[in-house]
Amino acid sequence: MKHFPIFVAVEGRRITLSGGGAAALAKLRLLLKTEAHLTVFSDDPAPEIVAWAEAGKLQLIRRRAQAGDALCAVLAYGANEDAAEDARFAALARADGALVNIVDNLEDSQFITPAIVDRDPVTVAIGTEGAAPVLARAIKADLEDRLPTGLGRLARIGKAFRKHADRLPMGRKRRDFWSAFYFNDGPQAIDTGGDQGAEDALHALLDRHLTARPAAGRVAFVGAGPGDPELLTLKARKALDGADVVIHDRLVSPEVLELVRREADLISVGKEGFGPSVSQDEINALMVDHAANGAHVVRLKSGDPTVFGRLDEEMDACEAAGIAFTIVPGITAASAAVANVGQSMTRRGRNSDMRLLTGHDVAGFADHDWQALARPGTVAAIYMAKRGARFLQGRLMMHGAAGETPVTIVENASRADERILSTTLSDLAADLADAKLTGPAVLLYGLAPRAALAALPDTIFRTDIKEAAL
Ligand code: SAH
């Protein structure tokens, strides 16, 4: 982020603008929505500017700006449509201590004006750091359609009521009250009863909330999916929106964590599979303590929480403490990996079962029914296999698996840095060592990437498929 978005207090303060043509007009239309004192310097102002000055909406000074003209101004706009004059104005305004923007000149501006969706006091600012004004306009148009025009009125009525709502304890209770108003009772009441209706609804709602029994805390075990935030379920999105505390593993992607409600406590417990981290007992205690205090706890696990996630131990801890819980399933790494190599987990005539195995568990390399796995046509997704690849390879071949059995390694499945490596059982350990994987990886034993994938451009599938193996 090269520009940090903030909202500047301009009520009663001064904003100066130099220029009198089309660029000045466009900026002034926007600035007239503020409660700032506007001063315009122009020796040739457009008639609209003259009219605004006559109506007392701004102060017009019919000459070029001079040193000292921007003293006490918070913001200064160079809108002369003349590079030299804008540069002269920018220099003198900067010297006067104002923050300067030159219209259509990102380079020499100290701040930029975003595209704005105005539902005063709700204001949405959209910026693309000058990279894509078309995109900003499209987003603006979309939001203009989506945000009801009554939103501003509702927010203003709500604001005046804040003192009353402070009778509710801070945190979830107060938040529940406000979301019931803005998303439920408020819009209905304003439609039928106007501003007065909305005010009445606030009082009735507050009474209801003041007398309601305290909500109990609870835990939701939520699947964060393999990394791509678009692979979250709608239920997971909702849970992240409503969480007071989110306890997450290391494998949950930053893009997914971005979606957690800003006010929620975000606690990383650093777990990756069975790797070293905060101990399981400490995780259980964290979860249970927060929920016992009335918090909505989201225990966010990568992929699907029911797959290699020690879910049972955490459910047992909740049960022992009398805390209610729910499970929100997610897309497990194997599902994303299989999809991105263009294969199906099961296939008529090839495999009628599909195993999810771990290469490694708390006790070390995991043992399996090697004989069954070695049979031709077997398909398995092997999690946590980076360290155990040589062991797996040895065991499988010892039990008769063919060296040319395909194995596809999918690293960072569904993420921007996803890599797909195609190899065979006999080359697995060596190829895995060469690949120097740094991210989480799942092995698809018995599956090669669909041949057609190799022909697609990298930009679509981000593949790094070893051509020889195809
Ligand atoms: N509950 C998770 C698995 C946790 S165990 C799930 O359902 O996906 C951790 C292992 O999952 C990692 O060692 C790796 O094998 C696998 N894994 C998790 N995220 C992955 C990803 N984005 N790409 C590939 N493998 C992943």
Side-chain angles (χ1 to χ4, degrees), residues 223-228 249 251-253 271-274 301-310 330-337 356-359 382-386 409-415 417-419 439-443:
D228 178 351
D249 294 344
L251 277 185
V252 176
S253 70
K271 257 161 73 96
E272 180 184 359
F274 293 102
K301 291 167 177 284
S302 75
D304 184 297
T306 73
V307 177
F308 302 128
R310 299 181 73 168
I331 291 189
T332 190
S335 296
L356 304 184
L357 312 178
T358 172
I382 310 174
Y383 290 67
M384 293 172 282
K386 276 194 288 188
I409 304 159
V410 184
E411 183 194 22
N412 295 318
S414 88
R415 302 180 184 207
D417 50 358
E418 171 174 304
R419 271 208 301 173
V442 66
L443 306 192

Side-chain angles (χ1 to χ4, degrees), residues 335-353:
S335 296
V338 157
N340 286 1
V341 304
Q343 285 292 4
S344 160
M345 283 210 190
T346 58
R347 176 163 149 189
R348 232 158 30 127
R350 184 191 63 202
N351 64 311
S352 57
D353 67 1

Side-chain angles (χ1 to χ4, degrees), residues 247-248 267-271 275-284 286 299 310:
I247 303 174
H248 69 92
I267 305 173
S268 166
V269 288
K271 257 161 73 96
S277 54
V278 180
S279 78
Q280 189 63 51
D281 285 345
E282 288 172 281
I283 295 173
N284 295 352
L286 265 175
R299 176 70 179 99
R310 299 181 73 168

